[in-house]
Amino acid sequence: MEKIDCYIPETLQEALEILHREDVIILAGGSDLMVFHKNEPSLIPEFEKSVMIIRNLNELKGIRINSNGECEIGALCTSNEIAESTIVPWHLRQAASRMGAVGLRNSATIGGNIANASPKGDMPGPLYLLDARVKLTSLNGSREMLVSDFIIKFKSIDLKKDELITKIIIPYSERDFDYIFWHKVGTRKSNAISKITVGMALKFAEDEIVKDFRLSATSTGAKTNRNRDVENLLIGSKITEENISRVIEAFDQVISPRAMPVFRRESTKRMIRRFLSQCLLHPESRVIDTYDSYYVPGSPKPVFNI
Amino acid sequence: MIKDIDFILNGKKVTIKVNPLSRLLDVLRDNLNCKDVKEGCSEGECGACSVLLDDRIVTSCLIPIGAVQNHEIKTSNYVTSTEKGKIIAEAFADGGAVQCGFCIPGMIIAAYDLLSRNSNPTEEEIRLGISGNICRCTGYDLIVSSIRLAVERGGDIWKK
Ligand SMILES: Cc1cc2nc3c(=O)[nH]c(=O)nc-3n(C[C@H](O)[C@H](O)[C@H](O)COP(=O)(O)OP(=O)(O)OC[C@H]3O[C@@H](n4cnc5c(N)ncnc54)[C@H](O)[C@@H]3O)c2cc1C
Ligand code: FES
Ligand code: FES
């Protein structure tokens, strides 16, 4: 067996040099990898390759608004840090606040959630919805791409061997929309992997015309679903009963849930109908609820700094 | 592959020679004799192995010891020797929160983490705060009411 080593770099430069010369497993929070590689109690987890622990790289931490007004989140930010930050877009805060339970949320990182590329992962949904980009860095420089392009398919990402995800950049927030929606259906409030999660956002132009409409759904196929053609069915038009049905039917063609397809398809339809028909009524609250209030007490309340 | 890992455990600096991929849980129990940290599910679901990492709750079965280099770990035995921790432990005992006791070190860590972020939680918030900790005995109600008792007994101490 090849010798398994473990690197604990203290700077990003050091980490990139290791990645440049060796094929290693990148370990951030470890909440996916440590379960995947777990061994019997008291025995060392079994990794097939050397491991580089990046959990403590300060360059990959912190959340800030950049000079273009976009929210930049370090790849090592944890779910709790994201949920608690008032400058992170609302949809992502909601998703982060409902991952696992509190202890897990102090380990799970956003970089790990994206790189894991699970169609049930909670963070890609909001990131697709808000056109978020990942920044990938190697010794040779950096590149950026949409999270929705970076995740190629189930468990597959466009990451080169010498690259690290360093940042996530989110150009939109709830301030760009009039109405917002995010709902995760799990079997319980904590430690529940999503059964289905839908995020939506809508902005009106003059005269009830829809200026922007976005819709993403998780746990509804091999990857997170968002489809611009479906959204374009509504953009530039008014919300009518007929348009709502067209959007619902078109999105139903996009998703491909394998397990529990009837439940997942019907729930998705209902959530879209609920959101759009509420938007039409111009309610005072910009957060459109499901029928039952789904706020988990203690989870972050929406913040609008307009 | 053995490395020197330095960290602060329960207020004291320690250096141990271990494989950095060993789980924090195993190092605490096997190398450092912290038997108050329990192993239940081994995959982050049950909370029995909860400890404080830089004063926030984490499940030690998911963390390789190498990630703890230069950080601070506190286990429940240490927490219950502090002023705040004592209040929680006594409230658990007086409130009948403990049956077999296996989940209790993790519950104490979860209660401590919750009260340090929220000095006056509602019942719902308490239930959410301990929702990563599974108890097979009590049905949770007496744990929840004991945490309320700790809130009342501690008063302003939780605001510090
Ligand atoms: C009890 C439990 C409950 C959970 N609940 C949820 C849940 O509700 N919702 C949810 O979405 N997930 C959940 N998860 C899964 C997991 O916690 C998340 O996917 C988490 O975000 C992973 O992040 P991490 O840093 O811990 O990943 P790690 O395990 O460290 O890494 C995961 C993958 O990402 C890669 N990676 C990590 N960081 C980088 C980087 N910067 N650059 C390149 N590659 C990188 C790693 O190489 C690895 O392939 C749960 C897990 C457990 C154990
Ligand atoms: S043993 Fe770590 S959470 Fe169950
Ligand atoms: S008291 Fe027995 S598991 Fe909680």
Side-chain angles (χ1 to χ4, degrees), chain A residues 180-206:
Chain A
I180 50 181
F181 177 100
W182 185 86
H183 184 57
K184 171 175 175 175
V185 182
T187 39
R188 59 196 287 265
K189 281 181 187 161
S190 292
N191 272 348
I193 298 296
S194 155
K195 293 273 176 270
I196 168 162
T197 304
V198 174
M200 286 179 277
L202 183 136
K203 183 159 183 68
F204 284 110
E206 313 268 281

Side-chain angles (χ1 to χ4, degrees), chain A residues 4-6 8 27 29-30 34-35 38 41-42 44-45 55-56 80 84 101-103 106 188-191 296-297, chain B residues 1 3 19-23 26 30 39 42-43 45 53 56-57 62 64 66-67 71 117 124 128-129 131-132:
Chain A
I4 303 286
D5 216 329
C6 177
I8 314 173
L27 187 146
M34 292 295 277
V35 175
K38 89 172 175 169
S42 297
I44 307 201
R55 189 171 174 129
N56 298 317
N80 271 342
E84 286 164 10
V102 56
N106 286 327
R188 59 196 287 265
K189 281 181 187 161
S190 292
N191 272 348
V296 180
Chain B
M1 173 206 20
K3 286 198 167 125
N19 183 320
L21 293 173
S22 310
R23 300 180 304 170
D26 293 324
D30 300 346
E39 176 156 16
S42 323
E43 48 189 47
E45 299 269 356
L53 165 59
R56 300 282 320 245
I57 184 173
L62 296 183
H71 288 264
R117 286 176 294 112
E124 196 57 30
L128 210 59
S131 62

Side-chain angles (χ1 to χ4, degrees), chain A residues 39-290:
Chain A
N39 202 336
E40 296 301 316
S42 297
L43 296 182
I44 307 201
E46 281 180 347
F47 287 89
E48 67 280 10
K49 284 192 283 192
S50 292
V51 176
M52 176 168 81
I53 300 177
I54 60 167
R55 189 171 174 129
N56 298 317
L57 291 181
N58 285 328
E59 292 103 319
L60 269 56
K61 292 186 182 168
I63 302 173
R64 66 184 195 109
I65 301 291
N66 70 19
S67 52
N68 297 325
E70 301 168 315
C71 179
E72 287 191 4
I73 302 177
L76 284 173
C77 285
T78 64
S79 303
N80 271 342
E81 284 161 354
I82 290 168
E84 286 164 10
S85 165
T86 53
I87 58 173
V88 169
W90 179 83
H91 288 91
L92 186 62
R93 293 182 69 201
Q94 290 293 315
S97 73
R98 286 289 312 276
M99 283 173 63
V102 56
L104 186 272
R105 292 196 291 274
N106 286 327
S107 280
T109 68
I110 183 169
N113 201 244
I114 295 171
N116 196 36
S118 160
K120 295 179 178 171
D122 280 314
M123 299 217 219
L127 297 175
Y128 279 40
L129 194 77
L130 302 172
D131 297 345
R133 310 187 297 279
V134 273
K135 183 171 180 188
L136 309 168
T137 305
S138 72
L139 275 191
N140 299 324
S142 291
R143 59 188 181 121
E144 280 184 18
M145 67 167 88
L146 287 173
V147 175
S148 54
D149 291 333
F150 178 67
I151 298 178
I152 300 168
K153 56 177 199 242
F154 180 72
K155 299 275 168 193
S156 161
I157 53 176
D158 187 5
L159 183 78
K160 302 210 172 81
K161 280 210 158 51
D162 62 346
E163 282 178 329
L164 206 55
I165 304 174
T166 45
K167 247 184 221 174
I168 291 79
I169 305 143
I170 313 178
Y172 289 91
S173 78
E174 67 280 6
R175 289 187 292 282
D176 298 302
F177 301 96
D178 295 323
Y179 292 105
I180 50 181
F181 177 100
W182 185 86
H183 184 57
K184 171 175 175 175
V185 182
T187 39
R188 59 196 287 265
K189 281 181 187 161
S190 292
N191 272 348
I193 298 296
S194 155
K195 293 273 176 270
I196 168 162
T197 304
V198 174
M200 286 179 277
L202 183 136
K203 183 159 183 68
F204 284 110
E206 313 268 281
D207 301 329
E208 302 288 298
I209 300 286
V210 174
K211 186 170 177 209
D212 196 353
F213 167 60
R214 294 166 186 222
L215 160 63
S216 72
T218 305
S219 311
T220 49
K223 70 179 241 186
T224 297
N225 282 304
R226 180 179 170 200
N227 183 297
R228 311 252 171 172
D229 293 338
V230 172
E231 297 171 3
N232 285 334
L233 290 174
L234 202 60
I235 295 172
S237 315
K238 290 185 179 174
I239 303 176
T240 58
E241 215 19 71
E242 204 188 0
N243 279 341
I244 294 177
S245 297
R246 283 172 66 202
V247 167
I248 286 175
E249 289 313 319
F251 198 64
D252 196 50
Q253 301 294 312
V254 169
I255 65 176
S256 52
R258 278 199 298 167
M260 302 189 296
V262 176
F263 162 72
R264 289 191 157 113
R265 287 186 186 281
E266 285 309 308
S267 308
T268 307
K269 288 179 182 175
R270 280 167 193 238
M271 285 192 259
I272 300 171
R273 181 172 297 285
R274 165 77 179 166
F275 176 71
L276 292 177
S277 49
Q278 284 293 306
C279 288
L280 196 52
L281 302 175
H282 292 276
E284 204 155 289
S285 165
R286 295 174 55 187
V287 179
I288 305 295
D289 245 322
T290 48

Side-chain angles (χ1 to χ4, degrees), chain B residues 12-86:
Chain B
K12 291 196 196 89
K13 198 165 181 283
V14 292
T15 303
I16 39 157
K17 289 189 185 308
V18 279
N19 183 320
L21 293 173
S22 310
R23 300 180 304 170
L24 172 59
L25 168 64
D26 293 324
V27 174
L28 290 173
R29 285 184 59 87
D30 300 346
N31 303 52
L32 297 161
N33 205 32
C34 296
K35 304 287 192 202
D36 51 325
V37 186
K38 306 296 181 196
E39 176 156 16
C41 66
S42 323
E43 48 189 47
E45 299 269 356
C46 77
C49 67
S50 299
V51 298
L52 297 174
L53 165 59
D54 298 336
D55 281 323
R56 300 282 320 245
I57 184 173
V58 290
T59 46
S60 62
C61 65
L62 296 183
I63 297 181
I65 187 73
V68 170
Q69 174 82 25
N70 299 329
H71 288 264
E72 189 172 2
I73 298 292
K74 291 176 184 162
T75 70
S76 76
N77 275 358
Y78 176 77
V79 167
T80 53
S81 73
T82 65
E83 195 185 3
K84 289 179 178 176
K86 265 199 192 97

